[in-house]
Amino acid sequence: MKNLPQQNKCSQCVMAQFCLPLGLSPQEFIAIDQLVTEKVHLAKGEAIYHQGDTSQSIFSIRHGSFKTEISLADGRGQILGFHLPGEFLGLDGVGSKQYQTQAVALEPSEVCVMKFSQFEKFALDIPSLQTHIYHILNHEITNDQKHLLTLGSLSAEEKMACFFVNLSERRSQRGLNPTEFDLSMGREEIGSFLGIQIETVSRVLSKLSEARLIQIKQKHLKLLDLEALHKIAG
Amino acid sequence: MKNLPQQNKCSQCVMAQFCLPLGLSPQEFIAIDQLVTEKVHLAKGEAIYHQGDTSQSIFSIRHGSFKTEISLADGRGQILGFHLPGEFLGLDGVGSKQYQTQAVALEPSEVCVMKFSQFEKFALDIPSLQTHIYHILNHEITNDQKHLLTLGSLSAEEKMACFFVNLSERRSQRGLNPTEFDLSMGREEIGSFLGIQIETVSRVLSKLSEARLIQIKQKHLKLLDLEALHKIAG
DNA sequence: CGAGCGTTTGAAATCGGTCAACAGCAGTGG
DNA sequence: CCACTGCTGTTGACCGATTTCAAACGCTCG
């Protein structure tokens, strides 16, 4: 805590390798240090933004995890994604006036706030930053599209396997243990994400446990046979 | 046909109001006329790009219609969207090396080809074009997210109603008849798009017909009660 | 320890899937 | 012009995965 302002600097941040482009020059890094205008802590259950909020910022996760969801007037909702440190939130507000979704912390978390207008401004001088924005948006699009395939074409068991494999891969990319970790979301949230009921989630978990592909106790998960899960996921 | 090169110019194109930003200055329009490097005609069933193709261009539909789809190794696939004139294709290739999807013409069609690098270059000088890119990408993201809600949370009947309402609205925006038109896709393709089987599509269509909400004969569709469809869609 | 929530498990119901037969239309070729 | 063929779409009957309903279990926390 000896130098608080330091902590706002991307150039000093261990997560920068995940949310910023690689290969920035020292000068560029200095410019980019002005990108993050704010850091925000959120308690479990708190939302960074709600469906319909005016959108000005995007957010990168420093630690913790989030769900993004979209709601229907009648109360039904769909969880669109779970998000790990280094991933971006609020992308559905880029290029539009309002967020179409909301982002809620699944545990005590912290995000870096970047005004999108700032991002655009810096991008004019730093080509790799402009490229990076497209990369981030592309990631969002292709993710959603893969999720569409999952929801539209797979069985409950295949969906769960997909979910595990995807989580495992993303954790792996971030240097987190890819085969043993605590889930930050409940069964109901997993169900919403995969378009199945909570009881089905539970049953599939039991089935996968019996088959010794996973081991799960409460939220603590061990992936015993990634290979097999991968095969089920298709 | 008296002036063929003219026809490549966006400034003369009736679709420009749908694929280009509004309020361009005459000078800007002149610059933008260099955007479209090529026009391509496609027969029914032909693909503009395939999953895995190197991505350099985005496409705007001049006439006709397309489906975009993503395929699994085992042959299963998911149709991600149906696309009308004025809409863009190939957005999942922006910011990445390869297209993750393929786009196939549902009828004889024509697209304008724009190298994305050109688009970026012009965007540096024309701020509204840069904004427009974000707008287009945003549209893609929010579309996919709404589709996720549809696939994950709605019943077969609700899905079909959604499909009709969405088609109707988009046709309306483009000055096409919103309540009576020919479908360019088959039942199987509708099923894939909505994550249901072809027989279910057929049954729901019969049910909606009996209820006098629609009238359908082969591919010719009349939406008799948009209000009610909207209510079903949620 | 007890309340309350989240989760698991069982049994019954249902929606949608699968299988199968058939109808309608288009295109082919005699 | 009319079988013949093939493709697409419809309909029915049955089946099965998933949902729904219900009850019990087991954490967690006051």
Side-chain angles (χ1 to χ4, degrees):
Chain A
M1 287 281 188
K2 55 186 171 188
N3 194 346
L4 201 58
Q6 270 285 356
Q7 300 197 344
N8 264 335
K9 295 192 176 179
C10 295
S11 51
Q12 311 294 322
C13 177
V14 292
M15 297 306 299
Q17 53 177 318
F18 300 115
C19 54
L20 291 179
L22 298 174
L24 289 171
S25 70
Q27 299 102 300
E28 289 172 336
F29 246 127
I30 289 170
I32 280 185
D33 275 338
Q34 301 165 56
L35 248 186
V36 173
T37 54
E38 200 184 347
K39 285 200 172 68
V40 176
H41 286 268
L42 294 111
K44 177 174 175 172
E46 264 189 293
I48 317 183
Y49 54 86
H50 293 93
Q51 205 164 332
D53 283 0
T54 303
S55 58
Q56 297 179 353
S57 304
I58 58 179
F59 310 85
S60 79
I61 303 174
R62 232 167 105 78
H63 63 254
S65 57
F66 289 81
K67 62 176 173 182
T68 46
E69 53 187 348
I70 188 169
S71 299
L72 225 46
D74 68 1
R76 280 183 295 184
Q78 174 71 34
I79 292 186
L80 300 168
F82 298 114
H83 307 277
L84 302 179
E87 295 180 339
F88 281 83
L89 296 169
L91 298 176
D92 64 282
V94 173
S96 77
K97 299 222 165 53
Q98 303 180 318
Y99 297 112
Q100 307 296 318
T101 64
Q102 57 182 314
V104 176
L106 293 170
E107 57 189 310
S109 302
E110 185 183 12
V111 296
C112 301
V113 182
M114 293 166 250
K115 289 242 180 295
F116 189 66
S117 57
Q118 286 284 312
F119 220 123
E120 273 187 281
K121 209 178 83 186
F122 287 125
L124 289 175
D125 295 324
I126 308 177
S128 71
L129 190 59
Q130 180 64 66
T131 304
H132 194 57
I133 297 178
Y134 290 124
H135 189 73
I136 293 166
L137 291 172
N138 175 264
H139 200 262
E140 179 74 21
I141 291 175
T142 55
N143 256 0
D144 286 346
Q145 291 180 338
K146 282 177 199 155
H147 195 191
L148 281 171
L149 174 63
T150 303
L151 288 190
S153 303
L154 303 189
S155 71
E157 191 177 342
E158 290 169 326
K159 285 173 177 177
M160 282 292 313
C162 256
F163 170 65
F164 287 141
V165 169
N166 176 278
L167 255 188
S168 172
E169 281 174 358
R170 282 155 63 208
R171 290 183 58 89
S172 180
Q173 285 161 17
R174 286 170 178 68
L176 303 169
N177 189 328
T179 56
E180 181 167 4
F181 50 94
D182 285 312
L183 294 170
S184 58
M185 71 295 289
R187 305 290 193 267
E188 172 140 33
E189 290 166 325
I190 296 174
S192 170
F193 177 67
L194 297 175
I196 55 183
Q197 292 308 114
I198 182 174
E199 294 93 333
T200 306
V201 172
S202 190
R203 272 183 256 271
V204 172
L205 287 179
S206 300
K207 189 175 168 191
L208 293 176
S209 294
E210 275 171 43
R212 308 255 174 250
L213 301 188
I214 66 169
Q215 193 173 308
I216 189 164
K217 191 179 179 185
Q218 300 295 117
K219 307 228 161 167
H220 191 78
L221 176 69
K222 242 187 256 190
L223 302 177
L224 301 177
D225 192 343
L226 264 177
E227 182 93 13
L229 288 171
H230 221 289
K231 223 155 81 184
I232 293 175
Chain B
M1 289 286 190
K2 57 187 168 187
N3 194 347
L4 200 58
Q6 270 284 356
Q7 301 197 339
N8 265 336
K9 294 192 177 179
C10 294
S11 50
Q12 310 294 321
C13 178
V14 292
M15 296 308 298
Q17 54 178 316
F18 299 115
C19 55
L20 291 179
L22 298 173
L24 289 171
S25 70
Q27 298 100 300
E28 289 173 334
F29 246 126
I30 290 171
I32 281 185
D33 275 339
Q34 301 165 56
L35 249 187
V36 173
T37 54
E38 199 184 347
K39 286 199 172 64
V40 176
H41 286 267
L42 295 111
K44 177 177 173 169
E46 265 189 291
I48 317 181
Y49 54 87
H50 293 91
Q51 205 165 331
D53 282 0
T54 302
S55 59
Q56 297 180 352
S57 304
I58 58 178
F59 311 85
S60 78
I61 304 174
R62 232 166 105 77
H63 62 255
S65 57
F66 289 80
K67 63 176 172 182
T68 45
E69 53 188 348
I70 187 168
S71 300
L72 225 49
D74 68 2
R76 279 184 295 185
Q78 175 71 34
I79 292 186
L80 301 168
F82 298 115
H83 307 276
L84 302 178
E87 295 179 340
F88 281 83
L89 296 169
L91 298 175
D92 64 281
V94 172
S96 77
K97 298 221 166 53
Q98 303 181 317
Y99 297 111
Q100 307 296 320
T101 64
Q102 57 182 315
V104 176
L106 294 170
E107 56 191 310
S109 302
E110 185 183 12
V111 296
C112 302
V113 183
M114 292 166 251
K115 288 242 182 296
F116 188 67
S117 56
Q118 285 286 309
F119 221 123
E120 273 188 282
K121 208 178 82 186
F122 287 124
L124 289 175
D125 294 324
I126 309 177
S128 70
L129 191 59
Q130 180 64 66
T131 304
H132 194 57
I133 298 178
Y134 290 124
H135 189 73
I136 293 167
L137 291 173
N138 177 264
H139 201 263
E140 179 75 21
I141 290 175
T142 55
N143 256 359
D144 286 345
Q145 291 180 338
K146 283 176 196 156
H147 195 191
L148 281 171
L149 174 63
T150 303
L151 288 189
S153 303
L154 303 188
S155 70
E157 192 177 344
E158 291 170 325
K159 285 173 176 178
M160 282 292 312
C162 255
F163 169 65
F164 287 140
V165 169
N166 176 278
L167 253 188
S168 173
E169 281 174 358
R170 282 156 62 206
R171 291 183 59 89
S172 180
Q173 285 162 15
R174 284 169 180 69
L176 303 169
N177 189 328
T179 56
E180 181 169 3
F181 49 92
D182 286 312
L183 294 170
S184 57
M185 71 295 287
R187 304 291 192 267
E188 172 140 32
E189 290 165 325
I190 297 175
S192 170
F193 177 66
L194 296 174
I196 54 183
Q197 292 307 112
I198 183 173
E199 293 95 331
T200 304
V201 172
S202 193
R203 272 183 257 271
V204 173
L205 287 178
S206 300
K207 189 176 170 192
L208 292 176
S209 294
E210 275 171 43
R212 308 256 174 247
L213 301 189
I214 66 170
Q215 194 173 306
I216 189 164
K217 191 179 178 184
Q218 300 292 117
K219 307 227 162 168
H220 191 76
L221 176 68
K222 242 186 261 192
L223 303 177
L224 302 176
D225 193 342
L226 263 178
E227 183 93 13
L229 288 172
H230 221 288
K231 223 155 81 185
I232 293 175

